[in-house]
Amino acid sequence: MTTFSDLGLIEPLLRALTAEGYSVPTPIQQQAIPMLLEGRDMLGIAQTGTGKTAAFALPILQRMAANRIKAAPRCPRALILTPTRELAVQIGEGFATYGKHLGFKRAVIYGGVGQGAQVSAMNAGVDILVATPGRLLDLMNQRHVNLQHVEFLVLDEADRMLDMGFIRDVKVIVSKIVAARQTLLFSATMPEAVMSLAKGILKNYERIEVTPQSTTVERIEQRVMFVARDDKRRLLSELLKDKAVTRALVFTRTKHAANRVAEHLIKSGVSADAIHGNKSQNARQRSLNDFKAGKARVLVATDIAARGIDVDGISHVINFELPADPESYVHRIGRTARAGAVGVAIAFCDADEVGDLRAIERTTRQTITVDTTHAFHAAHIATRSERDSPRSRNGRPAGKPSGGNRPPQGNRNSRGGRGGSGGGGRPWENRSRAT
Ligand code: AMP
């Protein structure tokens, strides 16, 4: 079995990894670290949850340690661009954790908060800068940040940065980086626009593609509950009576819905909070901390706010509203079953969402088990879904999960089931990741 020391990492990094309890490198770490230590550029097709932060942070830290330069005010040596504030904070924490014996100076900058503390951090001297594009450009224009000495550039979640409209900002930022540099670009998907961005900035790069560890996916028990829209809140309350729901992340499509669901839960005596883009950065961080600390049992979130949330021990992901985009469903349910735990993902599907459910099933190449064992089961929606769903083709009619009243554990994969060898049957593989 490959270990971190086999990958050529230096002792101060190995010590930090041991303290974190990491013993085995994840697939992306095994592939990326040796090549990045050699100074190669890299295109990484991977999403959060694969261990990609350590895959880029460890080699960058090691290469910086091999060539120490005193941290200069405003002039970072490494720049990591990432779409959201939460991801920026998490990546900053990753560098702090892995680099704790190396003594580099870090700064994390993002919008939505005052710039004073960020400007002070830049002035105090910085080796590693993690930033969201908008605020970075703002501070660059005010001459608080100078990118002339950047040696390591990471574009994280490039597809999401494009979706969020950051492409122009990213290009301006990259154009200011003049020093010889090692460049890494990560993206969960590879649409044409990301590919052309990658080609424009990577030199003689190595391409690495990993899927989320299938063991994680296989540990997620997915179910769908057909329910009328007006019954969803009562169904949620019913589910939360179950003590097995220890820490639940509930997804809505809109900020408004997130607030309403959280308010409903609080009124019914459940400790809950909402996190979305309308909240100040400090309020979002406070909500996340409360959720991590177990002060709130339920966190209601929109997709953007939840992206990259890395909280261990989420027992249930509840899709209160299904996402229009199947990729978001994959991201959402990946928040549970972390770190070896078992997780449950429950989707509420109302009459208007049957099409969304079908799109998810097509993309993930699996049929989600129908759970009828609740008081709000809407048989007419189930019947509608059954009419044109692969469920009937598979001989497993909707509304009749095999194995009696309780739905079976684990996913039913229409192509080979769980644990199938090779991986052709794994839902996350062979997805439409155009190259
Ligand atoms: P990331 O994909 O970087 O967001 O990482 C996902 C989660 O996996 C984070 O909680 C990391 O702390 C954790 N992690 C990363 N690498 C390892 C490893 N080799 N062993 C155990 N946990 C890891």
Side-chain angles (χ1 to χ4, degrees):
M1 194 195 303
T2 311
T3 63
F4 281 105
S5 77
D6 294 337
L7 300 180
L9 292 173
I10 54 177
E11 191 276 335
L13 293 174
L14 295 175
R15 206 159 11 119
L17 292 170
T18 306
E20 275 303 288
Y22 295 7
S23 47
V24 183
T26 66
I28 192 168
Q29 291 162 2
Q30 288 189 28
Q31 293 177 62
I33 290 172
M35 173 223 307
L36 294 176
L37 285 174
E38 285 174 14
R40 297 284 306 271
D41 281 6
M42 194 185 107
L43 173 64
I45 305 171
Q47 62 188 47
T48 299
T50 52
K52 72 180 158 80
T53 311
F56 66 74
L58 292 165
I60 289 176
L61 286 162
Q62 179 152 333
R63 297 197 71 217
M64 288 175 67
N67 174 26
R68 283 213 173 250
I69 299 171
K70 188 174 171 345
R74 297 179 293 282
C75 295
R77 294 177 65 191
L79 171 66
I80 296 88
L81 282 180
T82 190
T84 69
R85 305 152 184 185
E86 284 78 10
L87 280 167
V89 170
Q90 270 172 33
I91 293 169
E93 286 169 357
F95 272 97
T97 304
Y98 309 135
K100 68 179 170 189
H101 303 300
L102 293 174
F104 288 118
K105 294 177 107 174
R106 285 167 289 105
V108 181
I109 66 182
Y110 44 81
V113 294
Q115 68 173 46
Q118 298 172 4
V119 170
S120 304
M122 293 308 300
N123 286 335
V126 58
D127 295 296
I128 299 158
L129 175 61
V130 187
T132 55
R135 173 59 65 91
L136 174 60
L137 206 51
D138 219 7
L139 295 191
M140 283 163 64
N141 290 338
Q142 299 175 54
R143 305 198 184 287
H144 294 304
V145 182
N146 176 336
L147 300 183
Q148 275 182 35
H149 301 282
V150 169
E151 299 162 55
F152 306 95
L153 170 66
V154 181
L155 301 189
D156 184 43
E157 309 233 347
D159 51 353
R160 192 58 52 155
M161 288 203 276
L162 258 60
D163 288 350
M164 292 171 73
F166 285 138
I167 181 74
R168 192 173 307 182
D169 289 355
V170 169
K171 284 185 172 163
V172 173
I173 291 165
V174 172
S175 74
K176 305 286 180 209
I177 301 176
V178 291
R181 57 169 202 241
Q182 181 178 15
T183 306
L184 286 57
L185 184 147
F186 288 91
S187 197
T189 56
M190 231 353 107
E192 193 49 46
V194 174
M195 202 57 227
S196 93
L197 177 68
K199 284 187 177 143
I201 60 172
L202 300 176
K203 297 179 299 283
N204 185 24
Y205 62 90
E206 194 84 41
R207 175 191 163 113
I208 287 183
E209 180 161 3
V210 296
T211 48
Q213 285 173 319
S214 54
T215 47
T216 305
V217 170
E218 285 164 6
R219 281 195 301 267
I220 303 174
E221 177 193 335
Q222 296 177 66
R223 299 186 225 151
V224 56
M225 294 182 172
F226 291 109
V227 55
R229 179 179 306 176
D230 290 347
D231 285 335
K232 282 187 172 183
R233 281 193 269 172
R234 282 187 293 160
L235 173 57
L236 181 62
S237 295
E238 184 188 274
L239 289 180
L240 291 172
K241 286 184 189 148
D242 185 348
K243 296 270 187 296
V245 186
T246 51
R247 185 173 289 174
L249 186 56
V250 175
F251 283 96
T252 59
R253 278 198 196 191
T254 65
K255 300 163 190 171
H256 180 62
N259 279 336
R260 283 180 40 143
V261 171
E263 278 161 21
H264 163 79
L265 291 175
I266 292 164
K267 269 193 207 132
S268 58
V270 175
S271 57
D273 210 339
I275 182 171
H276 53 67
N278 270 9
K279 289 202 159 182
S280 73
Q281 175 55 21
N282 289 338
R284 284 157 76 170
Q285 203 59 51
R286 215 169 28 244
S287 301
L288 256 184
N289 291 345
D290 284 353
F291 187 53
K292 277 188 190 171
K295 285 188 206 156
R297 184 176 161 221
V298 180
L299 186 64
V300 189
T302 54
D303 287 298
I304 297 272
R307 183 141 176 109
I309 286 182
D310 183 22
V311 178
D312 286 337
I314 293 177
S315 64
H316 288 68
V317 168
I318 298 174
N319 285 289
F320 188 89
E321 292 169 323
L322 286 178
D325 162 20
E327 294 273 342
S328 296
Y329 175 83
V330 175
H331 285 302
R332 287 178 176 190
I333 70 165
R335 305 298 112 208
T336 185
R338 287 282 178 99
V342 181
V344 179
I346 298 174
F348 291 181
C349 180
D350 68 27
D352 294 334
E353 294 173 312
V354 172
D356 298 322
L357 177 68
R358 290 281 295 112
I360 290 165
E361 291 187 326
R362 265 197 312 272
T363 301
T364 60
R365 298 169 191 272
Q366 66 182 166
T367 307
I368 302 173
T369 305
V370 179
D371 187 341
T372 60
T373 61
H374 59 94
F376 302 96
H377 177 61
H380 65 284
I381 304 174
T383 312
R384 205 188 123 193
S385 143
E386 189 180 356
R387 249 196 334 258
D388 53 5
S389 155
R391 262 183 279 281
S392 40
R393 289 207 295 277
N394 286 347
R396 276 189 290 117
K400 288 191 183 141
S402 57
N405 270 347
R406 291 298 299 165
Q409 292 281 311
N411 303 327
R412 292 309 197 85
N413 190 320
S414 53
R415 291 198 180 182
R418 45 199 318 218
S421 63
R426 291 187 186 132
W428 315 140
E429 292 176 355
N430 307 323
R431 280 197 297 141
S432 53
R433 282 188 176 140
T435 53

